[in-house]
Amino acid sequence: MELELKKACLDAYETGGELVLTQEETAETIVPDYCPDIARIIVTDGKVYIHSRELRDGKAEVSGTVRVTVLYTPDGAGGIRSLEFAMPFTAESDGRGLPGCTCLCAETEVEFLESRMLNPRKIFTHCKLVTRLTGYQKIQAAFCTDVEAEDSLCVEKQQEQQHAIFLTQIAEKDFTFTEEMNLSPGRDGAVELLDSQVCGCVTETKIVGNKLILKGVFTVTLLYRTADGKYCSTSGELPFSQIMEVEGAGEDGLVSLQLQLTGADLQIDGDDPEGRQIAVTLYLHATALLREARELTLLHDLYSTAYETAYEAAPLNLTSLYDTMTRRQTVREVLEIGVLAESILSLAAVCGPVSVSREGETALLRTSVTIRALYLDEGGVPLAAERSVDVSCQVELPEDCRVTARALCPEDVQGSLGDRGIEVRFPVDFRVEAVSQVKRVCIASAKLDAEKTRDTSGAPSLVLRCLGRQESAWDMAKAYNTTIAAILAANQLEAETEIPREKLLLIPRKRASFS
């Protein structure tokens, strides 16, 4: 006869696949008629904007543009001019990469970007991109929690309490952020924006009812030209808040949020004659991963002391630990420039991918940070210097957990002119995600043969022995066709925790009576 098992089922998501795609893009760009001829390229910068991400039958496709800004010295004149153009890209995986996935998260970064002059009216740009894809698939975590049987069947059961964390919801939203950025008092106004950087950081998330409230700050850095031909850089912080719909989410849920720029428009406000107000419009895509912690009861084992029983067990993979943390490292370096500098125009630090190596419970995180400085030499000629430095930090995490991390520079790079060059100072934040999984065995089905009693003839009614080093009271009771309650009673013990390992125990066999 089939034993009546109580079952539970939870809907969730799990990672169905992770891919890294690399590609190269090239472009030849004609200098527009309204721009002067190029005498020398100073520096090239690129910003990635993802416009669409699609997932169909296990195949992922991500498309977007790299917005390239080339700063150059014009032919026959001094100063800095800016040339902007877009390089479209599409990253595709094969149809076997993300099978069964229904949701896609994607990040694309510039690994290498360089422009060179073909002639004063044409440049060649070479770009290497890295796209990281994570696909999520829907699952039903089904498991047995208990068994119900009549007392006459003498069924013993072993249940296990397990802490588990489930990814229960993935929410996405596109939104637009518009704000005015005011140049600080005392600064000259802008007549031309030459370059910009935007960095977004989420500082707070909170679930209230069916709403996810997120707050953060956009740090905007500008390089611009003033009316009298000077070049200045400035930065400002623009706070933001957004609300996302997250139906059925618990207010104590864990939120992991990914914020991506899909476009940006920064212009000098035409209504401000002094050029001190910058109209900032940002287009963004937010992806929120919501996790909930649950305490589960699993039916781990069962047997009958009276009848022959058989069961089938199934493995159950559960996330037992999910943790996020931020570790900050402060970097101080010197960019040796080899010339006397008059002033620093702009500084930037771009973090590369993070590698993780493990030694016991210590995880070592490493990233390469590219530091770039734009400055004027003593003759007022604009020059650029670049250097890569390695930055690392250690975190203590359980040995069996999987660690992923990304690094970013969330604040402005500070710099000053020194005897050896440009001294720079900036923080690097390692944002770490640690996930640990456990595999548990859970009863999937069970049968009891009520026509076939267990044969205990010839077996002694009493056994005297110690509990083994790796043996549990359940193991002992099951092996000798008895119960834990019978062992406790025979040894005048009240609880399983009181069973000694160094003393002999009386193990009575339980004999069922049949009418």
Side-chain angles (χ1 to χ4, degrees):
M1 61 179 290
E2 293 280 353
L3 290 175
E4 185 178 347
L5 301 178
K6 288 186 175 181
K7 297 185 178 182
C9 186
L10 297 173
D11 294 327
Y13 290 86
E14 68 177 6
T15 302
E18 295 177 310
L19 299 175
V20 177
L21 307 178
T22 59
Q23 66 192 97
E24 297 187 22
E25 302 287 343
T26 59
E28 290 187 3
T29 306
I30 302 296
V31 178
D33 293 339
Y34 59 82
C35 294
D37 289 355
I38 297 176
R40 177 177 59 87
I41 292 177
I42 305 169
V43 71
T44 303
D45 182 34
K47 310 168 190 68
V48 176
Y49 300 134
I50 293 179
H51 299 153
S52 69
R53 51 191 68 75
E54 295 183 0
L55 186 59
R56 188 181 298 110
D57 298 328
K59 181 179 180 180
E61 180 177 301
V62 177
S63 62
T65 58
V66 180
R67 194 72 187 175
V68 180
T69 302
V70 178
L71 299 181
Y72 68 94
T73 300
D75 190 19
I80 302 173
R81 293 293 184 269
S82 176
L83 172 63
E84 282 195 356
F85 57 92
M87 294 180 65
F89 71 90
T90 299
E92 293 181 328
S93 70
D94 60 36
R96 302 182 302 274
L98 303 170
C101 295
T102 58
C103 186
L104 178 68
C105 290
E107 288 184 293
T108 300
E109 297 174 344
V110 175
E111 186 179 67
F112 172 81
L113 180 64
E114 182 182 56
S115 293
R116 57 185 175 89
M117 187 173 66
L118 299 177
N119 60 55
R121 304 300 301 175
K122 182 186 288 188
I123 63 172
F124 175 80
T125 302
H126 180 204
C127 179
K128 292 182 180 180
L129 298 173
V130 177
T131 299
R132 294 176 174 84
L133 304 175
T134 304
Y136 296 93
Q137 58 187 11
K138 289 185 177 181
I139 62 167
Q140 282 192 330
F143 53 93
C144 292
T145 63
D146 202 354
V147 59
E148 288 188 350
E150 297 177 2
D151 292 343
S152 60
L153 298 179
C154 302
V155 173
E156 295 294 313
K157 62 187 178 184
Q158 184 186 43
Q159 293 171 295
E160 176 183 318
Q161 301 300 313
Q162 180 65 49
H163 176 80
I165 299 171
F166 293 92
L167 175 56
T168 56
Q169 191 173 162
I170 300 176
E172 297 182 88
K173 181 181 180 180
D174 291 305
F175 65 93
T176 302
F177 172 83
T178 302
E179 188 59 272
E180 290 282 340
M181 175 178 168
N182 297 315
L183 301 184
S184 56
R187 285 189 176 274
D188 294 333
V191 296
E192 182 186 5
L193 298 182
L194 299 173
D195 198 8
S196 63
Q197 297 288 338
V198 178
C199 178
C201 179
V202 177
T203 58
E204 181 184 353
T205 59
K206 185 177 182 180
I207 299 174
V208 180
N210 291 333
K211 310 289 185 183
L212 169 61
I213 302 171
L214 59 101
K215 297 180 180 180
V217 175
F218 292 118
T219 301
V220 179
T221 304
L222 301 174
L223 175 66
Y224 63 92
R225 181 170 59 87
T226 66
D228 57 1
K230 294 181 180 179
Y231 299 95
C232 300
S233 62
T234 187
S235 65
E237 292 187 346
L238 304 177
F240 71 91
S241 62
Q242 277 291 315
I243 295 176
M244 299 176 65
E245 296 290 336
V246 287
E247 185 176 352
E251 295 191 357
D252 56 350
L254 306 172
V255 180
S256 174
L257 201 134
Q258 183 185 89
L259 197 62
Q260 289 181 331
L261 276 173
T262 59
D265 183 19
L266 287 80
Q267 297 183 5
I268 302 169
D269 193 334
D271 295 332
D272 177 19
E274 296 183 355
R276 305 182 59 79
Q277 289 188 330
I278 310 299
V280 178
T281 302
L282 306 176
Y283 305 93
L284 299 115
H285 181 81
T287 303
L289 306 181
L290 281 73
R291 294 175 170 85
E292 292 185 19
R294 304 280 182 88
E295 300 300 326
L296 308 181
T297 300
L298 308 179
L299 181 59
H300 181 66
D301 198 1
L302 61 81
Y303 65 93
S304 169
T305 58
Y307 299 98
E308 294 294 336
T309 56
Y311 63 80
E312 290 185 359
L316 184 65
N317 293 318
L318 298 172
T319 299
S320 59
L321 177 145
Y322 175 82
D323 194 13
T324 59
M325 63 194 74
T326 299
R327 295 291 184 267
R328 172 165 290 191
Q329 297 290 102
T330 301
V331 179
R332 293 175 177 267
E333 291 290 336
V334 175
L335 284 175
E336 297 181 357
I337 56 178
V339 298
L340 291 176
E342 176 186 286
S343 62
I344 301 171
L345 296 181
S346 67
L347 295 167
V350 179
C351 300
V354 177
S355 65
V356 181
S357 58
R358 298 296 303 264
E359 184 174 340
E361 295 191 348
T362 300
L364 180 62
L365 312 177
R366 289 191 179 93
T367 188
S368 178
V369 182
T370 300
I371 309 168
R372 178 183 292 168
L374 183 63
Y375 63 95
L376 299 177
D377 69 7
E378 57 183 344
V381 176
L383 299 170
E386 188 175 291
R387 179 186 170 193
S388 293
V389 298
D390 291 329
V391 182
S392 63
C393 77
Q394 290 184 348
V395 292
E396 299 299 320
L397 290 166
E399 191 171 354
D400 61 347
C401 72
R402 175 177 174 269
V403 180
T404 57
R406 59 190 299 263
L408 73 159
C409 180
E411 299 176 5
D412 288 343
V413 181
Q414 303 297 318
S416 59
L417 295 173
D419 295 337
R420 295 189 298 152
I422 300 174
E423 299 178 1
V424 296
R425 301 172 302 280
F426 57 92
V428 172
D429 282 354
F430 288 89
R431 297 188 176 176
V432 186
E433 180 181 85
V435 179
S436 181
Q437 287 194 320
V438 295
K439 180 180 287 188
R440 291 291 181 260
V441 176
C442 187
I443 299 296
S445 63
K447 291 183 179 181
L448 181 146
D449 191 346
E451 303 297 326
K452 188 176 181 181
T453 60
R454 300 196 65 168
D455 184 9
T456 58
S457 61
S461 60
L462 199 63
V463 175
L464 191 65
R465 56 160 288 188
C466 291
L467 189 65
R469 184 178 297 274
Q470 301 296 326
E471 190 178 29
S472 67
W474 173 267
D475 297 331
M476 177 182 284
K478 185 177 180 181
Y480 288 94
N481 195 43
T482 188
T483 66
I484 295 176
I487 294 175
L488 295 176
N491 293 275
Q492 298 181 343
L493 300 172
E494 293 185 0
E496 187 178 341
T497 54
E498 296 180 7
I499 298 177
R501 290 191 177 273
E502 69 281 358
K503 293 183 180 180
L504 292 175
L505 298 172
L506 292 174
I507 306 173
R509 290 188 179 275
K510 184 175 181 181
R511 300 185 184 277
S513 60
F514 308 100
S515 56

